[in-house]
């Protein structure tokens, strides 16, 4: 299961570092935001195909340099566990909330995504609901290929697809972001669990 969580950690980091290079004027995601996240991780290993479902909440505070993903994970419609990925300026943490286990990882630099980032390649635009535009971009990081779609006017994340190989196993991660709001209503999502004092 920790391999699946590593996939989600990489995905969240890409999500908070994603921006649009297809804007005529500079637009950024809010400095603080939260969103509902739902998604799937699919992989084929040893002739079997596996799919896990993810439901959770994601939040970022770029001023403090922190991002978080609190999630519940399901496999074949059965609850597997609840996990927290938290990235701070000094370290990242991957916590198993139920079993109170924690891994401390190196921190990831998190910058506020803006339309003038140079590391994205524009792919296409879509008209959403007949009135708003979204833009789709690709970001490559080593052997990983990430495709993200954002709202053009406010850089709110809509969706994200990551194709990569973890431990020799090809994986596809698909996340949908919903109800993205400006500001943080529950700052406790950024609290380092007491059992993570490693």
């Amino acid at each position: 299961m920790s391999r699946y969580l590593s996939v989600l950690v990489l995905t969240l980091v890409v999500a908070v570092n994603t921006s649009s290079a297809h804007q005529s004027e500079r637009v950024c995601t809010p400095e603080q935001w939260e969103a509902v996240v739902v998604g799937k991780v699919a992989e084929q290993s040893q002739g079997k195909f596996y799919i896990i479902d993810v439901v959770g909440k994601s939040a970022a505070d770029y001023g403090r340099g922190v991002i978080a993903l609190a999630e519940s994970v399901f496999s074949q419609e059965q609850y597997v566990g609840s996990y927290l990925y938290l990235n701070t300026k000094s370290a990242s943490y991957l916590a198993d909330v139920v079993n109170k286990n924690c891994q401390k990882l190196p921190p990831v630099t998190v910058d506020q995504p803006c339309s003038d980032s140079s590391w994205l390649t524009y792919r296409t635009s879509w008209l959403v609901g007949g009135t708003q535009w979204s833009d789709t971009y690709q970001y490559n990081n080593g052997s990983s290929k990430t495709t993200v779609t954002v709202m053009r006017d406010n850089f709110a994340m809509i969706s994200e697809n990551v194709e990569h190989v973890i431990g020799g196993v090809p994986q596809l991660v698909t996340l949908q972001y919903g109800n993205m709001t400006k500001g943080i209503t529950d700052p406790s999502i950024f609290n380092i669990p007491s059992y993570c004092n490693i």
Side-chain angles (χ1 to χ4, degrees), residues 33-191:
W33 61 264
E34 26 182 61
V36 174
V37 178
V38 295
K40 293 187 180 292
V41 177
E43 73 174 41
Q44 186 173 1
S45 178
Q46 300 178 354
K48 293 185 178 183
F49 191 70
Y50 301 95
I51 297 177
I52 64 166
D53 296 295
V54 176
V55 178
K57 175 182 174 181
S58 183
D61 183 339
Y62 299 111
R64 291 177 48 202
V66 293
I67 58 172
L69 172 64
E71 63 188 2
S72 294
V73 176
F74 300 85
S75 178
Q76 298 179 354
E77 299 183 9
Q78 298 295 315
Y79 174 76
V80 174
S82 294
Y83 303 91
L84 171 68
Y85 169 71
L86 176 63
N87 184 77
T88 68
K89 289 183 179 180
S90 60
S92 292
Y93 302 91
L94 183 57
D96 178 336
V97 177
V98 175
N99 296 312
K100 301 204 181 313
N101 295 325
C102 190
Q103 296 176 350
K104 187 174 181 180
L105 308 166
V108 177
T109 301
V110 179
D111 295 319
Q112 184 178 11
C114 296
S115 58
D116 54 2
S117 294
S118 61
W119 40 272
L120 288 176
T121 303
Y122 170 77
R123 291 297 178 211
T124 190
S125 295
W126 302 93
L127 189 58
V128 180
T131 59
Q132 294 183 312
W133 284 95
S134 66
D135 295 318
T136 300
Y137 299 87
Q138 184 177 335
Y139 168 79
N140 293 308
N141 183 8
S143 63
S144 294
K145 180 173 84 173
T146 301
T147 304
V148 295
T149 301
V150 297
M151 293 303 296
R152 182 178 291 175
D153 63 344
N154 63 4
F155 256 56
M157 292 287 296
I158 299 172
S159 66
E160 177 176 22
N161 296 303
V162 180
E163 299 173 43
H164 57 182
V165 176
I166 302 283
V169 178
Q171 295 181 330
L172 173 63
V173 179
T174 301
L175 297 177
Q176 304 292 320
Y177 293 80
N179 298 331
M180 187 177 208
T181 58
K182 185 176 181 179
I184 304 296
T185 59
D186 181 8
S188 70
I189 192 171
F190 299 126
N191 292 346

